[in-house]
Amino acid sequence: NEDPGEVMMMMEEVPAMKWLPFLMLLVFTAVLQTTLAPVLAIGPIRPDWMLLLAVHYAIWGRWPDAALAAWGLGFAMDLCSANIPGQGTAALHALTYGAAACAILYLRVDLFREHWLTQPAITFVFTWLVHMVIGLVYVKSSTSPTAPGFFGLFGLSFLTALYTAVWTPYLLWPLKKLRKWTGLVKKRDLAIAV
């Protein structure tokens, strides 16, 4: 593993992200999450496009911008899911999205970010972890007899993560095309674009 000081120097080479495009993507994704995702749901399984966008920012953004962006996406998801049973726990999405982004920011030094499987794999793993944590909090705090058990929660989180990861290549393509607009470009990309 690399020296943390060296990693921070490498991160400083990444340009700052642009917040207005991020806010526009947040609103657009929130609209899709609340209108289109329920239509595309397979039973209780919905794609988590907000987390997919948070993973994208965590892979390509700089610290602390990416962590704050993920926290903001999680907070927006908290607001969007307030009326969904088992999802409306205040600030839990914000906390778990932010923690996932911090973990990805730490691990991304060891990732091949340009490989076509990297973002779907990272999206799958962290969607599964985030939804397991949210589900466990719901199960522990629920008095409902219909709350799923651990194995039901495990399966539901797994299928949600898989469904979200399946969407990743389709949503990653436009996000990659918008990288310069969002400020999520590598230094090498800037040298080529100039």
Side-chain angles (χ1 to χ4, degrees):
N1 228 349
E2 297 185 20
D3 176 41
E6 188 176 319
V7 171
M8 291 307 291
M9 284 177 44
M10 288 177 7
M11 293 171 120
E12 292 302 318
E13 294 175 2
V14 179
M17 69 178 242
K18 299 175 184 171
W19 286 98
L20 183 60
F22 166 74
L23 291 173
M24 293 168 71
L25 282 173
L26 183 147
V27 170
F28 180 73
T29 307
V31 168
L32 289 179
Q33 189 71 45
T34 55
T35 58
L36 190 57
V39 173
L40 297 172
I42 302 170
I45 302 161
R46 298 177 184 202
D48 191 345
W49 293 325
M50 299 289 273
L51 184 56
L52 193 151
L53 186 59
V55 168
H56 179 72
Y57 269 84
I59 289 175
W60 294 106
R62 70 188 280 178
W63 169 263
D65 296 348
L68 290 171
W71 182 88
L73 285 160
F75 187 71
M77 186 64 173
D78 282 323
L79 297 176
C80 292
S81 64
N83 62 351
I84 300 173
Q87 297 287 317
T89 310
L92 192 55
H93 283 92
L95 177 66
T96 55
Y97 282 28
C102 288
I104 293 167
L105 282 162
Y106 179 76
L107 295 172
R108 74 178 181 182
V109 175
D110 299 323
L111 299 175
F112 296 107
R113 293 190 282 179
E114 288 293 338
H115 194 275
W116 68 276
L117 274 177
T118 300
Q119 188 150 350
I122 297 294
T123 300
F124 172 77
V125 168
F126 283 96
T127 301
W128 194 5
L129 290 172
V130 162
H131 282 269
M132 280 295 294
V133 169
I134 291 168
L136 285 170
V137 169
Y138 172 66
V139 167
K140 289 290 185 187
S141 64
S142 176
T143 57
S144 171
T146 59
F150 177 76
F151 291 110
L153 174 64
F154 186 84
L156 186 62
S157 299
F158 179 85
L159 293 173
T160 299
L162 187 62
Y163 196 32
T164 302
V166 166
W167 277 98
T168 304
Y170 303 106
L171 299 175
L172 184 60
W173 182 80
L175 288 173
K176 279 188 173 183
K177 295 294 180 190
L178 295 173
R179 251 196 232 156
K180 193 171 183 181
W181 178 67
T182 59
L184 299 179
V185 293
K186 298 178 304 190
K187 191 173 182 180
R188 187 177 72 206
D189 290 343
L190 286 175
I192 293 170
V194 173

